[in-house]
């Protein structure tokens, strides 16, 4: 099993020995892989260009600094800006000066997201990326101030800090799902499960809107997916209880998701469950959960796989000896 | 004495768990607190990157979708032409309806097509004004652009669509409808 590195200090062993929620003791190579993969996700989330000329329905920072948000939006199409972001991301991926690069990347994604969401059409597509960057920035700055390791803190990236950063990353993802569960229960109470039988209306609405995007039926690119939305709609209309079980399972996962912070096995279970759920919804409704799927794969599923691979390779080596 | 020691241990563990999950608690609060945006209902809890993630928090008995057409009522593939998905157009239209419904003191689905017109006109205008030059040329060829709305509802175990309602029309150079 991957273990603690020399000099680790995430939690005192005596206190954590029998507690439920602890940071997973990732090995350095796992942290490097996660950081590099997440850098690619950040790159993917940054828009190539932003044409918005104003903020007709300002939200977030655009409420206070509308001109700054609009002005920043114009940078996204510029070559110098893309080059600067690429350099910033490369430094972030290498793990150097994370306390500087992470907040800067947060700023870039927040300006992009704020401008997009201030057009009168709120989207939560890339929100998870910014939420994760915010949690990481907070963790890094807190650690720097608390432990006053100015030299190593500013430029280096000790393993124990990276372990904490990975744990707050998982917490940011979990927070998003828990808030979503709270909103559902606050808006509809337990009636949500009863009303979930009306999901086919949403399904039809989304497939019709997907059609008008390209004037092409959603799912018609692949023979396997041909008529999948229509077949799903018919199945769910015929069996309201099946509909409640399938859609309700998503809310149950959201309610219980805090358990994903209890170690690799729990994280792996919830990661796989959410990725399956998002992928299914994405296929039948044409909705985009790419960033959720990427982040769940990197910070929840991958650690479970890597631990199994390490255990398996050690067992094989032992047997061969 | 033993009980006291146990309680102390439990207390220590609880504090440890709380300390470990402090970022989670802070993030949840940060997502739920922003009710400060001045926008209408759909905007109120949004303060990027914080959100109360309202998607599918309620399943209504009926819902609607919108699409854009040219003057001959031929649908326009908005994503292909202008890189704007119809979901985005629907959200923009819906946000406009938030303020219209306040004015008429009605639910959104009780508003007539005529009452929805300012919102629809604005949505089509927004699509045109935020499009690239190439997309605008295509739109110009089919002016006026129109926005249609179709409701979906369930009747006797089947999903039924209402006939399309004209809820917006706009052409370049035309004056906006006053709300």
């Amino acid at each position: 099993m991957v273990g603690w590195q020399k000099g680790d200090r995430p939690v005192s062993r005596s206190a954590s020995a029998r507690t439920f929620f602890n940071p997973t003791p990732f090995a350095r190579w796992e942290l490097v892989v996660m950081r590099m993969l997440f850098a690619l996700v950040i790159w993917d989330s940054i828009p190539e260009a932003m044409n918005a000329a104003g903020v007709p329905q300002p939200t977030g920072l655009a409420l206070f600094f509308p001109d700054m948000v609009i002005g920043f939006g114009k940078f996204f199409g510029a070559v110098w800006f893309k080059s600067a972001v690429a350099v910033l991301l490369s430094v972030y991926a290498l793990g150097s000066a994370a306390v500087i690069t992470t907040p800067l990347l947060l700023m870039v994604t927040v300006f992009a997201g704020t401008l997009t969401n201030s057009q009168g059409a709120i989207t939560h597509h890339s929100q998870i990326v910014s939420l994760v960057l915010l949690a990481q920035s907070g963790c890094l700055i807190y650690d720097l101030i608390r432990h006053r390791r100015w030299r190593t803190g500013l430029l280096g990236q000790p393993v124990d800090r990276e372990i904490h950063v990975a744990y707050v990353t998982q917490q940011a993802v979990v927070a998003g799902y828990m808030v979503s569960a709270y909103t559902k229960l606050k808006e509809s109470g337990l009636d949500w499960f009863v009303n979930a039988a009306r999901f086919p209306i949403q399904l039809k609405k989304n497939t019709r809107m997907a059609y008008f995007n390209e004037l092409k039926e959603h799912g018609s690119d692949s023979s396997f997916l041909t008529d999948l939305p229509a077949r799903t709609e018919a199945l769910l209309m015929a069996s309201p209880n099946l509909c409640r079980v399938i859609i309700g399972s998503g809310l149950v996962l959201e309610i219980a998701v805090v358990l994903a912070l209890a170690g690799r096995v729990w994280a792996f279970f919830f990661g796989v469950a959410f990725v399956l759920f998002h992928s299914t919804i994405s296929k039948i409704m044409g909705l985009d959960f790419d960033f959720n799927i990427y982040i769940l794969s990197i910070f929840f599923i991958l650690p479970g796989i890597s631990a199994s691979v390490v255990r398996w390779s050690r067992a094989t080596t032992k047997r061969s000896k | 004495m033993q009980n006291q020691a146990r309680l102390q241990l439990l207390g220590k563990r609880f504090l440890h768990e709380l300390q470990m999950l402090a970022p989670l608690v802070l993030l949840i609060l940060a997502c739920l607190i922003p009710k400060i945006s001045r926008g209408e209902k759909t905007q109120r809890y949004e303060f990027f990157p914080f959100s109360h993630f309202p998607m599918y928090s309620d399943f209504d008995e009926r819902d609607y979708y919108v699409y854009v057409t040219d003057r001959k009522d031929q649908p326009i593939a908005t994503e292909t032409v202008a890189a704007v998905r119809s979901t985005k157009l629907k959200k923009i239209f819906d946000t406009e309806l938030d303020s219209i419904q306040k004015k008429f003191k009605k639910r959104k689905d009780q508003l007539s097509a005529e009452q929805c017109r300012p919102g629809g006109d604005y949505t089509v205008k927004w699509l045109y004004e935020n499009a690239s030059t190439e997309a605008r040329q295509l739109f110009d060829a089919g002016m006026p652009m129109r926005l249609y709305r179709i409701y979906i509802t369930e009747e006797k175990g089947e999903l039924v669509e209402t006939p399309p309602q004209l809820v917006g029309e706009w052409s370049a150079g035309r004056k906006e409808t006053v709300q």
Side-chain angles (χ1 to χ4, degrees), chain A residues 239-250:
Chain A
S239 326
N241 282 331
L242 177 69
C243 185
R244 287 184 184 109
V245 170
I246 294 173
I247 304 305
S249 64

Side-chain angles (χ1 to χ4, degrees), chain A residues 11 16 18-23 52 56-57 59-61 63-64 109-110 113-114 117 119-124 127 130-131 134-135 167-168 171-172 174-176 178-180 182-184 187-188 192 195-196 198-202 204-206 208-209 212-215 233 237 247 258 261 285 287, chain B residues 9 13 16-17 19-25 27-28 31-32 36-40 42-43 45-67 75-80 84-88 90-92 95-96 122 126 130 152-154 157-159 161:
Chain A
V11 284
S16 68
R18 292 166 71 182
T19 51
F20 199 64
F21 296 109
N22 292 300
Q57 293 282 348
T59 61
L61 287 179
L63 283 166
F64 310 107
T109 59
V110 165
T114 303
N117 274 6
Q119 301 305 308
I122 300 289
T123 170
H124 302 100
Q127 205 139 3
S130 297
L131 211 53
L134 175 75
Y167 199 50
V168 297
Q171 293 191 40
V174 167
M178 288 180 77
V179 168
S180 174
Y182 169 81
T183 305
K184 287 187 181 85
E187 296 276 317
S188 311
W192 190 90
N195 295 341
R198 294 176 187 155
F199 178 73
I201 294 176
Q202 300 300 317
K204 189 168 191 80
K205 181 190 78 177
N206 278 33
R208 295 303 292 144
M209 286 201 292
F212 286 108
N213 285 337
E214 300 174 331
L215 297 184
E233 185 189 305
M237 281 300 289
I247 304 305
V258 70
L261 299 173
M285 293 182 80
L287 296 176
Chain B
L9 191 66
R13 277 184 203 162
H16 171 77
E17 305 276 12
Q19 191 189 345
M20 284 297 108
L21 297 183
L24 174 75
V25 176
L27 285 165
I28 289 174
C31 283
L32 292 175
I36 58 173
S37 298
R38 285 192 292 266
E40 299 298 340
T42 45
Q43 313 269 317
Y45 291 91
E46 301 292 336
F47 196 105
F48 196 93
F50 304 120
S51 169
H52 66 310
F53 299 106
M55 305 81 73
Y56 302 110
S57 57
D58 194 10
F59 293 104
D60 288 327
E61 287 170 348
R62 60 198 308 237
D63 206 345
Y64 71 90
Y65 62 90
V66 295
Y67 62 92
I76 298 172
T78 50
E79 188 173 13
T80 312
V84 176
R85 291 186 174 191
S86 41
T87 45
K88 185 161 190 167
K90 193 215 164 184
K91 284 176 186 172
I92 290 174
T95 305
E96 293 299 307
Y122 170 80
W126 182 92
N130 285 276
I152 305 168
T153 186
E154 189 194 329
E158 285 198 6
L159 295 182
E161 293 187 50

Side-chain angles (χ1 to χ4, degrees), chain A residues 114-181:
Chain A
T114 303
L115 186 55
T116 304
N117 274 6
S118 296
Q119 301 305 308
I122 300 289
T123 170
H124 302 100
H125 180 226
S126 65
Q127 205 139 3
I128 191 84
V129 178
S130 297
L131 211 53
V132 164
L133 281 170
L134 175 75
Q136 291 188 349
S137 303
C139 179
L140 288 162
I141 293 167
Y142 174 77
D143 190 78
L144 188 71
I145 294 168
R146 188 179 177 195
H147 300 292
R148 295 169 193 275
R149 292 183 301 184
W150 300 108
R151 203 174 54 181
T152 56
L154 279 170
L155 299 174
Q157 188 77 318
V159 171
D160 60 331
R161 186 190 300 155
E162 280 216 65
I163 286 173
H164 262 305
V165 169
Y167 199 50
V168 297
T169 298
Q170 289 180 325
Q171 293 191 40
V173 177
V174 167
Y177 286 117
M178 288 180 77
V179 168
S180 174

Side-chain angles (χ1 to χ4, degrees), chain A residues 173-174 177-178 252-261 270 274 300:
Chain A
V173 177
V174 167
Y177 286 117
M178 288 180 77
V252 172
L253 279 176
E254 286 181 341
I255 291 168
V257 69
V258 70
L259 294 174
L261 299 173
F270 277 95
F274 272 113
F300 290 75

Side-chain angles (χ1 to χ4, degrees), chain A residues 28 31-37 39-40 86-98 101 105 155-158 162:
Chain A
R28 185 180 282 279
L31 294 162
V32 170
V33 170
M34 287 195 283
R35 195 175 58 228
M36 290 190 161
L37 289 175
L40 292 175
V87 171
L88 203 60
L89 268 171
S90 306
V91 179
Y92 173 88
L94 292 170
S96 308
T101 56
L105 288 167
L155 299 174
Q157 188 77 318
E162 280 216 65

